Amino acid sequence: MSAGPGRNGSTNGSAKGLLRSSAKGLFRGRGQQANGPGGGSGNGSRRTGGLARSARYSAFSLLRHGLPGSAEWPRAWRTHELRDSYDVVIIGGGVHGLACAYYLAANHGITNVAVLDKGYLGGGGSGRNTAILRSNYLTPEGVRFYDRSLELYRNLAAELNFNVMFSRKGHLTLAHNDSSLRTMHWRAEVNKLQGVDSSVIDPDEIKKLVPYLDTSAATRYPILGALYHPPGGIIRHDAVNWGYARAADALGVHLHQQTEVVGIDASKGQVTGVQLADGRRIGTGTVLNATAGWSTLISDMAGVRMPVQTSPLQAAVTEPVRPFLDAVVVSGTLHVYVSQTDRGELVFGASVDPFTSYSMRGSLDFIEGLAGHVLELMPALSKMRLLRQWAGLCDMTPDYSPIMGLTPVEGFYLDVGWGTYGFKAGPVSGETMAETIATGRPASLISTFGLDRFERGELVGEKGAAAVGH
C-alpha cells in the first residue's frame, strides 16, 4: 500500500493556523489558481505576494462592507477549470467530502485535490438532515469517534472563520418501558467510561427540562426515564457545508459542482482515474467515495461490493413559534424526534422508511404517523401548522456503523454507510479519512470500521443507539 499522495512542500501543517489568523490570513495553494467568474485573480479574493488571501469575516469587516461605496463581498469559493489530473479525487460534495478535502490541505499539506459532485455542494444528505449533534452512542468505538466529532464541531466556527450556529441544548432519549430503560443505563455507563457526560434521569427531572412533555402515567406510552446528554445540540447544516467549502477553497482545493462521475479506472488493482459524464477523464491514484444514497453504485465502478441498503428518511418542519423547547427530544419507541431551531421552527423526524428506494418524495403516511406520535409526547402542539416535508437517502449497514478506510483496490477509499447519523460525524470523518489517505493506513479512531469487518464477523453493533434517525 502506498503512503498516500505526494505533499506540497510549501505547506508544512501550519495552514490550519493561517486560516485562523486575522493578521495574515494567507493560504498556500498547490498549482496555479484558476480565475473566478469575474476574471482577474479569482472572484474578489485578494492576492498578496502571490498567495491567495481569503476575506476574513468579522464585525469590523461587516461594518466596513456596509459603508457607502464599499466593495462587494467576495464569493465564498471560486470556480476553477478542471485539471487533467489531481493527487486526490473526492466523489461527493457533502460535509464528509468537503471536510476531508479541508483536512487534507490543512493538516497534511495535500492541496492538489478535487471535490466532485453531480449536483451542488451540500445538496444531498448534508443539506437534508435535521442537524442534531450528540456522542452518547452504545459501543466504546462509537462513543470515542462521535465525541471527537462533537469536540471539532464546538470549535468549528473559530476554526473555519464561519458562523456554523452551534447551539448546545442537551439531548434526551426517552425510555417508555423497562427494556428501553435498561438500555439507557447501559449507554450511560459506556459513555461515562469514555468520559462523555450522560446520565439517566427520572420523569420529574425530564419535566423540569421540557415542561411541555406529557410525563404523566395516563399516556399510552408512559415515560419511565431518559438518557440525558447535556453536550448534545443542533447546528446549521448549510453553514457547516459552506464553511468547509470556503476553507478548503482558500487552501487551494478545487470544488467542481455539476460534475458527475460515471466510471472509475483501475489497472492491476490500482486506481488510475475517473470518467465523467461529459466524456472527460481525470487522472488520479487516489479516489474517496464520500457519497450517500449512491455509495454502492460508486463502489461498484471500482469493483468493490458493500453490504449496504439504501432507504429514504423523511423529515418535516412547522411554522416558527416563540422558543419553548430547550432540548432535543427523541423517542425510539415512538420512532420520532423533535428539536427547535433558533428561528423557532420545530423540526421533526422519524426512522427510515421500511423499504429500499431512491425516492426522495414525502408521503402522507409519514406525516400522519409522525403527527400522532408527536402529539402523544406533547399534546399542546395540536394547533401548530406544518410548513413542509422532505426526504433524503440513507445507506444502512447490517450493524448500523459506517464503512471507512481502505479497500482491496489500492487507492480507492470508503467513507460511506452512514445511515441516519452521518452529519454528526462530518468533522471527525474528514479528519480521520484525511489521515488515512495521507498515510495509507487507517486512522486509529476508524480502525474497527473497515469493510473487512463483515468478512471477519467483527461487527460494531450500534442499532441500540442509532435505530431512529437522530
Side-chain angles (χ1 to χ4, degrees):
M1 182 61 64
S2 63
R7 302 188 180 186
N8 179 356
S10 64
T11 306
N12 57 9
S14 62
K16 201 170 184 179
L18 292 173
L19 183 61
R20 295 192 296 265
S21 172
S22 60
K24 297 181 179 179
L26 302 181
F27 307 96
R28 289 176 168 83
R30 180 168 182 158
Q32 184 177 0
Q33 300 294 338
N35 290 341
S41 59
N43 65 27
S45 64
R46 295 182 294 275
R47 304 286 293 182
T48 304
L51 301 177
R53 182 175 181 179
S54 177
R56 181 167 182 82
Y57 296 151
S58 65
F60 174 74
S61 62
L62 180 64
L63 177 63
R64 180 166 57 84
H65 279 85
L67 296 176
S70 60
E72 294 184 0
W73 285 98
R75 295 186 182 182
W77 58 84
R78 294 161 290 180
T79 300
H80 297 273
E81 291 295 326
L82 195 68
R83 292 177 182 165
D84 293 333
S85 65
Y86 290 92
D87 289 341
V88 180
V89 170
I90 298 173
I91 306 174
V95 62
H96 286 247
L98 294 170
C100 181
Y102 167 69
Y103 290 116
L104 277 171
N107 292 354
H108 304 283
I110 302 172
T111 59
N112 188 25
V113 177
V115 178
L116 311 181
D117 197 285
K118 72 174 184 178
Y120 58 91
L121 299 183
S126 295
R128 296 171 179 267
N129 64 86
T130 51
I132 295 172
L133 305 180
R134 64 184 178 93
S135 61
N136 58 345
Y137 279 74
L138 182 61
T139 65
E141 300 93 337
V143 173
R144 290 192 295 268
F145 182 76
Y146 287 98
D147 195 51
R148 172 58 181 166
S149 199
L150 196 56
E151 179 184 355
L152 290 169
Y153 265 128
R154 282 194 292 264
N155 301 307
L156 199 59
E159 170 81 13
L160 303 181
N161 182 225
F162 201 97
N163 184 9
V164 294
M165 304 182 207
F166 174 68
S167 177
R168 177 173 166 166
K169 289 176 169 285
H171 186 283
L172 285 168
T173 308
L174 305 179
H176 299 274
N177 51 55
D178 291 339
S179 176
S180 295
L181 197 58
R182 284 195 297 271
T183 300
M184 299 310 155
H185 281 288
W186 177 10
R187 287 172 61 182
E189 294 308 312
V190 172
N191 291 177
K192 291 174 183 176
L193 287 173
Q194 301 301 323
V196 171
D197 187 3
S198 291
S199 61
V200 176
I201 60 177
D202 61 29
D204 290 338
E205 294 176 281
I206 296 171
K207 190 70 172 179
K208 292 178 183 178
L209 291 170
V210 188
Y212 283 84
L213 268 180
D214 185 356
T215 58
S216 70
T219 61
R220 181 181 179 188
Y221 297 98
I223 298 173
L224 305 184
L227 179 66
Y228 180 45
H229 179 51
I234 59 174
I235 202 166
R236 177 71 180 185
H237 49 200
D238 289 334
V240 174
N241 294 322
W242 299 336
Y244 271 125
R246 175 176 178 266
D249 170 79
L251 293 172
V253 172
H254 284 195
L255 310 176
H256 297 286
Q257 304 179 82
Q258 306 296 324
T259 307
E260 182 177 2
V261 174
V262 296
I264 297 175
D265 298 335
S267 177
K268 298 180 180 179
Q270 165 70 56
V271 166
T272 59
V274 298
Q275 300 286 343
L276 305 182
D278 61 5
R280 290 182 291 178
R281 181 184 186 275
I282 301 174
T284 184
T286 303
V287 173
L288 171 64
N289 180 1
T291 59
W294 293 270
S295 65
T296 52
L297 304 182
I298 298 297
S299 289
D300 285 346
M301 296 176 188
V304 176
R305 297 191 64 186
M306 303 186 300
V308 168
Q309 290 186 322
T310 300
S311 298
L313 175 67
Q314 299 187 54
V317 66
T318 70
E319 61 185 339
V321 295
R322 180 179 297 175
F324 71 93
L325 186 60
D326 295 328
V328 178
V329 178
V330 179
S331 171
T333 300
L334 295 175
H335 299 285
V336 67
Y337 56 95
V338 56
S339 63
Q340 188 170 26
T341 70
D342 294 333
R343 294 197 305 178
E345 303 106 328
L346 293 180
V347 180
F348 302 110
S351 56
V352 295
D353 290 346
F355 51 83
T356 57
S357 173
Y358 286 94
S359 172
M360 288 189 282
R361 298 185 63 180
S363 67
L364 179 61
D365 179 69
F366 163 76
I367 288 297
E368 288 179 334
L370 178 74
H373 291 153
V374 168
L375 293 180
E376 289 186 52
L377 294 176
M378 301 181 191
L381 303 184
S382 61
K383 299 298 183 181
M384 290 195 67
R385 291 176 292 186
L386 198 68
L387 285 185
R388 61 186 179 92
Q389 66 183 105
W390 66 95
L393 298 178
C394 297
D395 290 335
M396 309 301 297
T397 62
D399 59 357
Y400 286 71
S401 288
I403 302 174
M404 304 180 71
L406 287 64
T407 69
V409 178
E410 188 168 353
F412 184 66
Y413 296 82
L414 296 175
D415 181 13
V416 299
W418 284 104
T420 63
Y421 27 90
F423 189 78
K424 302 171 184 62
V428 70
S429 296
E431 183 182 58
T432 52
M433 286 309 303
E435 179 184 341
T436 300
I437 291 170
T439 64
R441 300 183 302 274
S444 59
L445 272 180
I446 65 170
S447 59
T448 58
F449 297 145
L451 177 62
D452 58 352
R453 74 178 186 270
F454 299 105
E455 294 182 3
R456 302 193 310 269
E458 298 176 358
L459 306 189
V460 185
E462 281 288 2
K463 187 173 183 178
V468 176
H470 60 286

